[in-house]
Amino acid sequence: MKLKKHDQLSVKIEKLAFGGKGIAYVQNEDKDNFVIFVDNVVPGDEVNIKLNKVKSNFAEGSLVEITKLSPIRIQARCPHFDTCGGCTLQTIPYEEQLKIKESQVRESIEHIGNIKEMDFKPIIGCDSEWFYRNKMEFSFGYEDDGKPLSEKKIAVGLHPKYRRYDVFELKECYLESEDTGNFVKAVQKFMRDLQVAPYHSRTNSGVLRSITVREGKRSGERLVNILTSGEDFEPKNEFINLLTKESDKNGFKAATSIYITKQVIKKGQRTRFEEELIYGEPYLLELMKLENSTELKFEILPQAFFQTNTLQAEILYAKVLELGEIKSTSTVFDLFCGTGTIGLFCAHKAKKIFGVDINQSAIENANSNAKTNDIQNATFVAGDAFKVIAELEEKPDIIIVDPPRSGLNEDLINHILKIKAKRLIYVSCNPTTLARDLKFLCEKYKLQTVQPIDMFPHTYHVETVCELILQNN
Ligand SMILES: C[S@@+](CC[C@H](N)C(=O)[O-])C[C@H]1O[C@@H](n2cnc3c(N)ncnc32)[C@H](O)[C@@H]1O
């Protein structure tokens, strides 16, 4: 049989690919294990699907119906599971999610990287599978009730799956805080009562775009930033009252900092963000614990990047420190350093840390984080990782890389192979690009240890730390 678009067939979902799509294997012409990807399924489900795309080596199908539920399926905790695009693995028990993520990392390295020998460690899961995020952004929009725009009510919530321009009213969310539902409800009532209009991209009118809540999981602080269109947000004092004096009464924690940020978009000009601190401290303080139980302080401004799971990031960074075997004589390159957290975690053990990131404001943050923590042996520089280190005379003993999802580029890999640091620690958020890069790096390095770590329960994401050791040649 030769499969073609629009064919309907019954298949069993064998596993999940990285990214969360289900995989079924079928016979197609002379191929026995022809792969079909299916959305919104769980391993073990038996389903009827319709093919949307058929290529030479895989096909994509959409779910028509589930004919037999997987024995591992559970009820999603969140009432918005069917609407919301986040937390897609909620119908799989957390222990099973961890097994799935662990095998995705192992299979990627074995099959794409073609590496079979390594010390593959069991995945480290999160102690708290709920309320682990320290940042959530909620959007403003209108209720999806079929009424004309003039009669619609304001909604505060998240975007429905596949509909980036719509917003559904959020009643509960188990990602950041137990009081998220109360917070969103109070903000929504406030905006409805005062009739502050959400920004509407099609008509380019209205004021409110989104509201972001950042929380110091260790410090207990809370920074709220309301993002508006270029128009003024008038009820500032009333809004401060709502988020401070009236927070208890509404069942949520008071803000320690409140910002209003105008997003100014003008034709032919770069989008500008004008931040106005209307209450409290200018930054959110977050603390991270080092293995020797000292704490690092991070002063996080509204637009700054920070790892979204503070407690699990501590575990991730401690792994980097352990596998890096950093000594007091070590010069360490922290490439793709972001706000410098990995380098700052390592600084007390190293002789010198040199961090590079392409994002100028992340580097400003990294240098001020070093200052706040009185760390004097760490320098952070803005620029492209390859270009910056290609111009350096100094050779590192240890290189740490933590690239974006796309992984390392060829120039950087070649340069790393040329400068031959004794150890290389690769932190990755994408097992497929990690495996591709490891294949090249293993021309001169041996993949010693692989440690998967789950930072984001109920999502398909998985982080991996790899230890590579230079081979004598
Ligand atoms: C996964 S984040 C790493 C964050 C950081 N290590 C941490 O733990 O907070 C990837 C970083 O790579 C940076 N980046 C992307 N392309 C880059 C390039 N060509 N050179 C240097 N940095 C780059 C991004 O700005 C981002 O901060």
Side-chain angles (χ1 to χ4, degrees), residues 221-356:
E221 294 193 356
R222 180 175 274 190
L223 182 149
V224 177
N225 181 21
I226 190 155
L227 182 68
T228 69
S229 62
E231 295 198 30
D232 281 339
F233 176 70
E234 303 288 354
K236 286 180 193 165
N237 291 334
E238 295 85 340
F239 192 60
I240 294 171
N241 271 344
L242 175 77
L243 298 191
T244 54
K245 293 192 188 114
E246 293 173 20
S247 66
D248 246 13
K249 168 177 104 187
N250 285 297
F252 63 85
K253 212 168 78 185
T256 46
S257 305
I258 307 174
Y259 272 90
I260 295 181
T261 303
K262 267 190 199 175
Q263 183 172 354
V264 185
I265 305 175
K266 286 206 178 118
K267 258 201 176 154
Q269 290 180 18
R270 276 181 84 180
T271 302
R272 262 185 309 122
F273 292 94
E274 290 174 5
E275 282 167 0
E276 183 191 358
L277 176 68
I278 60 166
Y279 176 82
E281 294 297 323
Y283 53 77
L284 175 95
L285 176 74
E286 178 60 310
L287 306 166
M288 289 184 95
K289 279 195 189 227
L290 293 178
E291 50 175 7
N292 57 7
S293 81
T294 49
E295 279 178 335
L296 287 180
K297 286 190 208 133
F298 294 93
E299 296 175 351
I300 306 166
L301 289 165
Q303 307 296 332
F305 171 83
F306 192 73
Q307 281 284 351
T308 33
N309 184 342
T310 307
L311 303 187
Q312 201 68 349
E314 288 175 354
I315 292 174
L316 174 79
Y317 297 160
K319 258 302 147 204
V320 172
L321 200 54
E322 177 196 322
L323 296 176
E325 292 190 6
I326 298 166
K327 300 189 187 77
S328 58
T329 51
S330 310
T331 296
V332 181
F333 282 5
D334 176 11
L335 307 183
F336 308 91
C337 65
T339 50
T341 26
I342 294 183
L344 296 174
F345 250 68
C346 299
H348 69 290
K349 290 229 163 159
K351 179 178 157 208
K352 195 168 169 188
I353 304 286
F354 182 77
V356 187

Side-chain angles (χ1 to χ4, degrees), residues 149 198-206:
L149 191 60
Y199 175 73
H200 201 262
S201 57
R202 275 174 223 127
T203 54
N204 191 24
S205 62

Side-chain angles (χ1 to χ4, degrees), residues 8-26:
Q8 290 220 18
L9 55 165
S10 303
V11 295
K12 183 168 179 188
I13 303 303
E14 300 296 341
K15 56 184 182 181
L16 292 192
F18 176 67
K21 285 184 195 290
I23 293 183
Y25 297 106
V26 297

